[in-house]
Amino acid sequence: MKLIGSTTAVLFLTLAFSIGLFGAAQTVKAQNTDKQKTEKKHDRDDDEKKEEAEEAKERKNQDKLMREASVTLEQARAAALERVQGKVLEEEIEKENGKLVWSFDIRDENGKAFDVKVDAKTGTVVAAEEDDDEDDAGAQSRGNKNIFEKMGSGIKDTTAKIYRKITGN
């Protein structure tokens, strides 16, 4: 009888120890999972902060350049669209070769993309060239637009809209 009682006690203690050990392992695992989630969240937060800082820096640079311009965005856009009729995909002000210019990416009614530069001091179109992006050139040389190319232009349009919304242009 003592043997059965001793065996039962040993089994009970072993069971209790195993449950405690399993519970401790689960607690450690849960803590590590929480720690990993927290680290990932911090990494995402850091990435978002860096992106926001870059966007703020770009907006500040754009604002500074706009103050230097004698020609408004609207006037420059009108001059660019007079040279190349179509839809403005992107627009920004930048220093190019030491000269302040408004830069426009315009897609004409034939689907060709153009890069048009307007002098930000005089309002004169200083360059209007067909955009030689590899994606556009490849699509035009094949002579057919597949679904992926159509989707790409939609994505580019959406990206341009988001950029304009962020920059306030």
Side-chain angles (χ1 to χ4, degrees):
M1 197 67 174
K2 275 186 167 183
L3 184 60
I4 293 176
S6 297
T7 306
T8 304
V10 168
L11 287 174
F12 179 75
L13 288 172
T14 304
L15 180 63
F17 180 73
S18 298
I19 290 172
L21 189 61
F22 179 75
Q26 291 300 317
T27 301
V28 169
K29 183 178 178 184
Q31 288 173 346
N32 285 340
T33 302
D34 289 345
K35 185 178 178 183
Q36 289 171 345
K37 286 180 183 176
T38 302
E39 288 173 356
K40 286 181 182 177
K41 184 179 184 307
H42 287 305
D43 289 346
R44 282 193 306 270
D45 290 346
D46 289 345
D47 290 345
E48 288 174 7
K49 287 178 184 175
K50 287 178 186 175
E51 189 174 313
E52 288 172 3
E54 288 175 13
E55 289 172 359
K57 184 178 177 182
E58 180 62 26
R59 278 193 302 271
K60 187 176 179 180
N61 184 45
Q62 289 284 303
D63 290 343
K64 178 183 172 247
L65 293 175
M66 280 188 221
R67 285 191 297 275
E68 292 178 25
S70 303
V71 176
T72 66
L73 172 63
E74 291 76 20
Q75 293 168 328
R77 187 184 307 121
L81 287 170
E82 189 175 306
R83 176 67 70 90
V84 177
Q85 291 78 31
K87 181 179 179 183
V88 175
L89 304 175
E90 291 183 47
E91 53 194 17
E92 67 179 336
I93 191 166
E94 59 189 357
K95 287 254 183 172
E96 193 169 279
N97 299 326
K99 191 173 202 170
L100 188 63
V101 294
W102 287 101
S103 178
F104 298 92
D105 289 340
I106 302 174
R107 184 168 310 280
D108 71 3
E109 59 275 356
N110 297 324
K112 293 182 179 178
F114 290 85
D115 188 22
V116 181
K117 308 283 187 200
V118 177
D119 187 307
K121 300 285 185 183
T122 65
T124 310
V125 175
V126 293
E129 302 169 343
E130 189 170 346
D131 201 359
D132 58 354
D133 281 350
E134 289 180 25
D135 295 341
D136 291 339
Q140 291 172 1
S141 68
R142 286 192 305 273
N144 62 343
K145 286 196 169 199
N146 64 32
I147 186 69
F148 298 109
E149 291 162 343
K150 290 178 184 175
M151 285 174 35
S153 66
I155 292 169
K156 189 173 181 181
D157 291 349
T158 303
T159 304
K161 287 178 187 174
I162 292 169
Y163 174 80
R164 284 193 296 276
K165 189 171 248 183
I166 290 170
T167 60
N169 294 333

